[in-house]
Amino acid sequence: MNRIFRGFRAILYKEFIVVGRDPMTLFFMFFPPLVQLLAFGFALDMDVKHLSTVVLDEDRTAHSRKLIESFVNTRTFRVTGEVGSVREMEELIRQGKAYVGLQIPPDFSRHLAAGRNAQIQVLIDGSSSSIASSALNTALNLAFRQSALTLLPQTGRRDLPVEVRPQILYNPAMRSPNFFVPGVIALVLQIATVFATAMSLVRERERGTLEQLLVSPLSRWGLMLGKLAPYLLIGMTMGAGVFGIMVWVFHVPIAGSLSALAVATFFYVFALLSLGLLISTRAQNQMQALQMTMVFMLPSVFFSGFIFPRETMPWIFQAIGALLPATYFIELNRAIVLRGAHFLEFWPTLLILAVMAAGLFVLCAARFRRKFA
Amino acid sequence: MPAETMIECERLTKRFGHFTAVDGVSFSVAKGSIFGFLGPNGSGKSTVIRMLCGLLEPSAGQARIAGFDVAREPDRIKNLIGYMSQKFSLYDELTVHENLIFYGRLYGLSGAELTKRHDELIALTHLEPYLTRRASVLSGGWRQRLAMACSLIHQPSVLFLDEPTAGIDPVARRELWDLLFEFSSRGMTLFVTTHYMDEAERCSHVGYIHMSKLVVCGDPDHLKQLPVVNPPGTKRLDVTCDHVTVGLQAVRHERGVHGATVFGQSMHLLVDAGLPEQFLRDKLAAVNIHQADIRPIAPSLEDVFVALTANNDGGGK
């Protein structure tokens, strides 16, 4: 044991001093992720609410006003003004001043009273697909419900034949932060930790101190573990910080066990730090290390299930996602934080993450050359 | 009785792709000697040192330190050797004290033993006033002392120094050499690369590497007696005069003059033994140099290397 990790305690001693004496590195480890978390968390709000809507009411009856009111009552729409013509309505949408235009033709209430087909026109800005589909669904739903309720007295029934009683589990208010923040935490931890270890070994290479280490009896396991341990502590502290922000700033409660979350974070951070070390065994300078770190960033955003569900991706992207630690950490996060899942339900994912952490560590120590050529 | 051999190279070769950085270099260094390794930039000095320290794998040939093969038994030699690289690689964030403690622990020292070695080296290098200073604020000479102390904390049998005096002021340079002699007298073997001829003169043995090949190796006094350095029927002269570069142009291509090099305010000439002094004075007078001090000299190490390099290049063509 002592032979394998020879020199570990010396490296640990030095790393703690170096990290502690270099406030800029600590600052750049902590500060940007914090800003990213807050920015991501607040900006990634996919709840479509209060879309600015302009109205062209040519009917001007109690019926038409009631219809507009029921649009507003869905809380998807918010009337921001009235216009005099369809052209004006289109112009406002094109200028981006309104997302939705609602036109009620002059004969709307007349047709309705006569039992004829009464039409209204809804213009929707389709340039943002999630907003458009949300607005469209709400409008169609509203029309169907209005129609059904109008026809109901004629059938002699008192209520609608079929009614859905939805119950949203685990995130009853369907708030975006609950969905996004656990994923954002995974990314924020990744940016800070991979970078930290990748830089720390490359800096020694650039300065020439690595050579000095290589002529000593220090073992590569001792070197790697000594490099990793201080950042593991920092990473866990950062993890506690970002989960704190999740609970107290974004009001996303942790439904499951805190210790399970801590264990998941431990393995995740360990895997990322090992990934950083793996990068540092290949990067010749800090610029290369930075670029290699970035290579892992984009797939982690797109293929980890952070924004887009992995199940619907082509197999190649699913496969890439399956190689990323972030994928498993996000899965664990959602299971523990949102669903309050039990250990028996998520242990396979945790095991994969643990194996990844151990595998990456072994790989970086194995690939690290004690010789330069 | 021959001294015990500490470092031994046999046809040591290092190739980087098609480029041969070190080409079949063989030499040996006796225990307790100071071996000066000289050669121009890029001639392969550092590559040899790095192979001997186990940082580079030899492409061919062998190197042994205290009998252990550097390529096959690297772990056996790590505790035997100390290495001070060109850059005096220290941790800038750590203080002088912490740097020493770190390197001590790296070699498995701890407790009272580590404290004892630490205090000894601090006393030896006079670093006491700077113990709590960070390495980043030390000047070149003090950085070099600290780097040296760090490379000595585990009491190595062999210390490799890669251009230890590059960029150091003359006083620090003198003091470093005083330290080296002291270590040598205690039985430590020193392997030093340098550009300075005066440093080479102080070594007990020197090797000169040129274009990846070891041109010569031996004790400086012995080298100065080599026939190739002192061709039969020639003598070396020191000519001190004004406008020495003008004077050099005036005499260098004359019949009977085989070599001419400027040394500060004078020039060193290798001329036919029978060349009259007046001949040179006349040539100098022709370019308006009327005052010249001409005296015979023994070859310097620099003359030795110049002669051997020329001989080597000529032989190769």
Side-chain angles (χ1 to χ4, degrees):
Chain A
M1 193 66 191
N2 249 333
R3 273 182 75 83
I4 293 176
F5 291 104
R6 196 169 33 199
F8 162 67
R9 283 171 55 184
I11 298 287
L12 197 64
Y13 161 85
K14 181 212 52 139
E15 282 300 313
F16 268 114
I17 297 177
V18 170
V19 171
R21 296 254 169 92
D22 190 3
M24 282 312 268
T25 301
L26 273 186
F27 175 80
F28 279 112
M29 247 190 111
F30 275 92
F31 186 69
L34 228 65
V35 173
Q36 281 160 353
L37 178 62
L38 293 174
F40 267 123
F42 281 121
L44 278 180
D45 193 341
M46 303 267 270
D47 294 351
V48 179
K49 265 183 275 181
H50 309 300
L51 297 175
S52 62
T53 305
V54 285
V55 175
L56 173 58
D57 185 1
E58 291 166 320
D59 190 50
R60 299 197 168 277
T61 61
H63 275 297
S64 66
R65 278 191 294 276
K66 214 179 139 197
L67 181 74
I68 295 167
E69 205 175 297
S70 57
F71 263 83
V72 172
N73 284 343
T74 61
R75 292 201 290 167
T76 301
F77 307 100
R78 173 175 54 105
V79 176
T80 50
E82 294 213 21
V83 291
S85 69
V86 177
R87 260 192 71 176
E88 200 183 332
M89 190 187 269
E90 283 173 345
E91 241 164 57
L92 282 172
I93 293 177
R94 196 180 60 236
Q95 290 164 2
K97 286 178 180 155
Y99 282 112
V100 182
L102 176 62
Q103 185 207 358
I104 306 172
D107 45 9
F108 173 72
S109 48
R110 217 156 19 111
H111 283 310
L112 203 61
R116 285 195 298 270
N117 175 266
Q119 295 182 337
I120 57 170
Q121 179 166 238
V122 180
L123 302 182
I124 301 171
D125 175 3
S127 53
S128 168
S129 65
S130 60
I131 287 176
S133 66
S134 184
L136 181 65
N137 282 337
T138 313
L140 288 177
N141 209 346
L142 191 86
F144 269 119
R145 197 170 169 80
Q146 289 278 336
S147 307
L149 288 175
T150 312
L151 292 172
L152 201 58
Q154 299 173 16
T155 63
R157 293 179 66 131
R158 312 197 63 176
D159 42 27
L160 296 174
V162 180
E163 188 171 345
V164 176
R165 286 273 174 91
Q167 193 180 355
I168 313 281
L169 300 172
Y170 311 125
N171 184 9
M174 300 226 343
R175 295 175 63 234
S176 279
N178 295 37
F179 179 73
F180 279 119
V181 171
V184 172
I185 286 176
L187 291 188
V188 157
L189 282 177
Q190 172 164 344
I191 296 169
T193 50
V194 175
F195 196 59
T197 40
M199 283 301 174
S200 107
L201 200 57
V202 170
R203 214 177 299 141
E204 295 221 22
R205 198 189 297 272
E206 283 185 348
R207 276 193 200 165
T209 46
L210 190 60
E211 258 190 20
Q212 218 64 52
L213 297 181
L214 293 178
V215 297
S216 82
L218 167 72
S219 79
R220 49 189 173 186
W221 299 95
L223 172 63
M224 290 302 173
L225 201 61
K227 282 271 166 199
L228 194 141
Y231 292 104
L232 191 61
L233 197 72
I234 294 172
M236 291 302 284
T237 311
M238 217 157 77
V242 289
F243 279 115
I245 291 176
M246 179 185 81
V247 172
W248 289 300
V249 178
F250 294 110
H251 304 290
V252 180
I254 298 171
S257 119
L258 268 181
S259 49
L261 199 58
V263 171
T265 310
F266 176 88
F267 285 132
Y268 181 54
V269 172
F270 197 103
L272 295 175
L273 293 172
S274 303
L275 183 64
L277 287 175
L278 189 63
I279 288 173
S280 71
T281 60
R282 279 293 163 271
Q284 291 303 313
N285 53 53
Q286 300 196 31
M287 195 63 212
Q288 280 183 13
L290 182 66
Q291 287 167 340
M292 289 179 176
T293 307
M294 281 316 177
V295 165
F296 286 95
M297 220 32 235
L298 276 185
S300 300
V301 172
F302 292 113
F303 308 136
S304 65
F306 165 48
I307 301 177
F308 313 110
R310 291 184 60 226
E311 290 71 18
T312 56
M313 289 178 191
W315 69 269
I316 176 81
F317 294 149
Q318 287 198 33
I320 294 173
L323 294 174
L324 300 166
T327 303
Y328 302 97
F329 184 62
I330 290 175
E331 215 173 295
L332 281 171
N333 246 351
R334 287 188 181 140
I336 297 168
V337 172
L338 300 182
R339 301 201 295 274
H342 190 265
F343 178 75
L344 290 174
E345 293 147 352
F346 62 71
W347 71 266
T349 316
L350 193 64
L351 183 69
I352 295 176
L353 202 58
V355 168
M356 272 189 152
L360 280 168
F361 182 70
V362 169
L363 197 64
C364 74
R367 293 208 61 156
F368 178 70
R369 289 191 192 157
R370 294 250 304 254
K371 293 191 172 64
F372 284 92
Chain B
M1 190 181 126
E4 195 184 325
T5 299
M6 201 65 198
I7 306 171
E8 205 176 357
C9 296
E10 267 174 53
R11 294 188 302 282
L12 192 63
T13 301
K14 180 69 198 176
R15 283 183 286 269
F16 297 106
H18 293 296
F19 172 66
T20 304
V22 174
D23 191 358
V25 167
S26 305
F27 62 87
S28 64
V29 179
K31 184 172 187 296
S33 63
I34 302 181
F35 187 83
F37 201 44
L38 289 95
N41 282 336
S43 56
K45 294 194 302 284
S46 293
T47 310
V48 169
I49 274 206
R50 294 167 55 132
M51 280 192 281
L52 290 175
C53 289
L55 289 171
L56 280 175
E57 194 100 47
S59 309
Q62 282 186 333
R64 277 186 296 276
I65 288 174
F68 299 114
D69 190 295
V70 295
R72 275 179 296 170
E73 302 164 285
D75 289 332
R76 302 295 294 269
I77 62 166
K78 289 199 186 272
N79 274 308
L80 294 175
I81 60 166
Y83 170 55
M84 186 169 138
S85 70
Q86 275 177 21
K87 292 192 268 184
F88 312 146
S89 310
L90 297 162
Y91 290 95
D92 284 344
E93 298 89 343
L94 267 55
T95 63
V96 167
H97 166 75
E98 288 161 347
N99 263 295
L100 264 174
I101 294 294
F102 165 66
Y103 280 107
R105 290 192 181 179
L106 201 54
Y107 284 89
L109 299 172
S110 60
E113 199 188 3
L114 178 56
T115 313
K116 183 171 152 271
R117 301 255 182 99
H118 169 273
D119 294 348
E120 271 174 19
L121 284 165
I122 291 293
L124 195 66
T125 50
H126 306 291
L127 276 162
E128 300 99 329
Y130 305 104
L131 274 178
T132 56
R133 295 256 186 107
R134 298 222 187 146
S136 55
V137 300
L138 295 180
S139 68
W142 291 107
R143 277 183 75 82
Q144 173 221 45
R145 279 157 182 256
L146 176 57
M148 180 137 156
C150 289
S151 59
L152 288 171
I153 190 107
H154 59 294
Q155 296 186 316
S157 312
V158 186
L159 181 61
F160 292 94
L161 301 106
D162 199 356
E163 298 195 12
T165 52
I168 296 299
D169 68 79
V171 178
R173 202 151 78 89
R174 170 76 52 86
E175 284 169 354
L176 176 96
W177 275 93
D178 290 345
L179 276 176
L180 294 186
F181 280 119
E182 180 163 354
F183 297 140
S184 166
S185 69
R186 294 182 190 179
M188 190 187 286
T189 309
L190 296 153
F191 189 101
V192 189
T193 69
T194 179
H195 276 302
Y196 297 105
M197 287 302 155
D198 61 318
E199 291 182 358
E201 303 268 7
R202 309 177 77 165
C203 295
S204 51
H205 287 80
V206 292
Y208 185 76
I209 187 168
H210 179 72
M211 306 280 280
S212 315
K213 287 193 167 111
L214 190 69
V215 175
V216 69
C217 184
D219 122 24
D221 292 332
H222 173 71
L223 294 182
K224 289 171 189 170
Q225 311 296 325
L226 288 176
V228 64
V229 180
N230 308 288
T234 64
K235 62 181 176 184
R236 286 184 187 270
L237 297 174
D238 175 283
V239 180
T240 306
C241 62
D242 292 336
H243 312 295
V244 67
T245 48
V246 179
L248 185 82
Q249 295 305 325
V251 299
R252 71 186 306 174
H253 298 300
E254 290 306 324
R255 181 183 280 268
V257 176
H258 302 293
T261 326
V262 171
F263 277 80
Q265 290 305 304
S266 66
M267 52 183 156
H268 288 185
L269 304 179
L270 179 66
V271 298
D272 283 340
L275 191 80
E277 216 173 86
Q278 195 54 46
F279 175 79
L280 292 173
R281 289 191 190 282
D282 291 345
K283 291 294 166 198
L284 289 174
V287 288
N288 275 324
I289 298 173
H290 302 289
Q291 282 285 327
D293 179 15
I294 302 178
R295 59 193 172 84
I297 49 161
S300 67
L301 259 188
E302 185 157 342
D303 292 325
V304 172
F305 296 142
V306 168
L308 286 169
T309 307
N311 192 52
N312 207 49
D313 284 351
K317 277 168 202 164

